Amino acid sequence: MRKNGCVAVGDTDMYYVAFGEGKKTLVVLPGLSDGLWTVNGKAWLLAGSYKKFFKDYTVYMFSRKNNLPKEYSIKEMADDQAMAMKNLGIERAIVMGVSQGGMVSQFLAANYPDLVEKLILVVTAPYANDIIKSVVTKWIDMTSNDTHTNLMLDTAEKVYTRAYNEKNKKILPLVARITKPASYDRFLTNANAILNFDAREELAKIKCKTYIMAGNKDNTVGNDAPYELKAGIADSELIIFDGLGHGLFEEDKDFYNKVLDCCEAIQGET
């Protein structure tokens, strides 16, 4: 099953894709890139990485809601995500949040514990530290004073290793053309939400088993962030990807196998 869907959320709606036939549920929340390129209509494109999940899991990947208010906090995103899950009949799920999606996931797990069976936090942080603020502020500025291609090039520099960028440098201009939005309004709302994000006081409320995946060369959220998450979340385990940074989920060939291992791990295992 591969489905492109849309679910009501308050006075608007939210795009999602779903794939797989399993009884267990994995919910995936993407990062800031969703401000440029939503999941709408991309079920076939996005399903490939999750083929090993199809038998036992139904995987849902959500965008942020449509018709974003200009000021929209990470906590409000989590509230809307909970509403979307309930409206789809998702009563309990493993939740994987990547980058900004991991920020949303922290509030989701803290404030809606009945919805979150297990948490996987990928390349994210518990608050907007100085590194995050510097990177995201530059991207915000570039939306008004530079080209979209240069914004994408700067993003690639911050997210991927030099070797990965060198290997893929010919396709970056194509990516820039595909991802250029008609307006940066959605991106700016998401980016400004990151600058105001702080979930440190929420971490103690997260009671589910949590896996924290991070590279040790992350130029977007910094290398202290995963350790701060682990210190704040009682039942958490840290998985470090040596030599990789913020784009480890694309660069590490075994990433999705490791995610599946976390999903399948018996409660209490380390």
Side-chain angles (χ1 to χ4, degrees):
M1 183 268 289
R2 292 173 175 82
K3 178 182 180 181
N4 294 293
C6 194
V7 59
V9 177
D11 61 356
T12 181
D13 48 22
M14 179 185 288
Y15 292 127
Y16 71 92
V17 293
F19 23 84
E21 305 290 344
K23 294 182 179 179
K24 293 182 276 190
T25 304
L26 173 65
V27 166
V28 181
L29 305 182
L32 179 57
S33 60
D34 189 70
L36 299 172
W37 200 64
T38 70
V39 302
N40 184 31
K42 300 181 177 71
W44 281 93
L45 177 64
L46 296 169
S49 298
Y50 294 90
K51 287 180 180 178
K52 291 185 178 180
F53 292 76
F54 287 0
K55 181 181 177 182
D56 296 322
Y57 289 84
T58 299
V59 181
Y60 292 84
M61 186 180 297
F62 291 87
S63 282
R64 313 295 183 260
K65 69 180 181 180
N66 297 312
N67 300 326
L68 296 181
K70 187 173 182 180
E71 294 184 3
Y72 186 41
S73 71
I74 299 288
K75 180 184 181 300
E76 290 170 326
M77 293 178 188
D79 292 339
D80 286 331
Q81 185 60 50
M83 188 186 305
M85 290 168 67
K86 291 175 182 177
N87 287 347
L88 283 173
I90 300 173
E91 297 179 353
R92 193 160 172 80
I94 298 170
V95 175
M96 179 170 76
V98 180
S99 194
Q100 186 183 26
M103 298 174 181
V104 177
S105 299
Q106 291 168 55
F107 274 106
L108 186 66
N111 295 329
Y112 300 91
D114 291 344
L115 282 178
V116 184
E117 174 186 351
K118 191 180 291 185
L119 188 60
I120 304 173
L121 299 174
V122 184
V123 295
T124 192
Y127 69 102
N129 58 44
D130 289 343
I131 294 172
I132 292 171
K133 287 181 178 178
S134 175
V135 169
V136 174
T137 298
K138 181 178 180 182
W139 290 342
I140 289 172
D141 291 343
M142 291 182 79
T143 64
S144 60
N145 64 21
D146 213 325
T147 66
H148 187 72
T149 297
N150 284 340
L151 173 60
M152 291 298 95
L153 289 171
D154 191 77
T155 300
E157 181 183 319
K158 297 294 191 303
V159 170
Y160 303 112
T161 61
R162 183 177 298 176
Y164 185 88
N165 279 328
E166 185 64 26
K167 182 180 177 181
N168 293 282
K169 63 183 179 181
K170 291 184 179 179
I171 68 170
L172 282 172
L174 174 62
V175 172
R177 286 199 296 273
I178 292 172
T179 60
K180 186 176 182 180
S183 165
Y184 284 110
D185 289 351
R186 183 178 176 86
F187 177 82
L188 292 172
T189 294
N190 280 281
N192 281 304
I194 292 174
L195 295 182
N196 294 311
F197 167 70
D198 192 341
R200 283 174 288 187
E201 292 186 2
E202 309 299 317
L203 298 183
K205 300 178 188 176
I206 299 175
K207 304 301 183 184
C208 62
K209 178 66 180 182
T210 300
Y211 295 93
I212 302 159
M213 296 184 167
N216 59 5
K217 293 187 176 180
D218 195 318
N219 297 318
T220 305
V221 303
N223 297 322
D224 293 334
Y227 296 94
E228 293 168 338
L229 284 168
K230 189 176 189 313
I233 302 173
D235 189 7
S236 61
E237 179 179 337
L238 189 57
I239 303 169
I240 296 294
F241 293 70
D242 187 45
L244 296 180
H246 204 67
L248 63 85
F249 53 93
E250 292 185 52
E251 293 198 54
D252 188 276
K253 293 180 180 179
D254 289 325
F255 173 76
Y256 290 96
N257 291 329
K258 293 172 184 175
V259 170
L260 185 58
D261 288 343
C262 292
C263 292
E264 294 290 278
I266 297 170
Q267 199 70 19
E269 273 190 3
T270 58

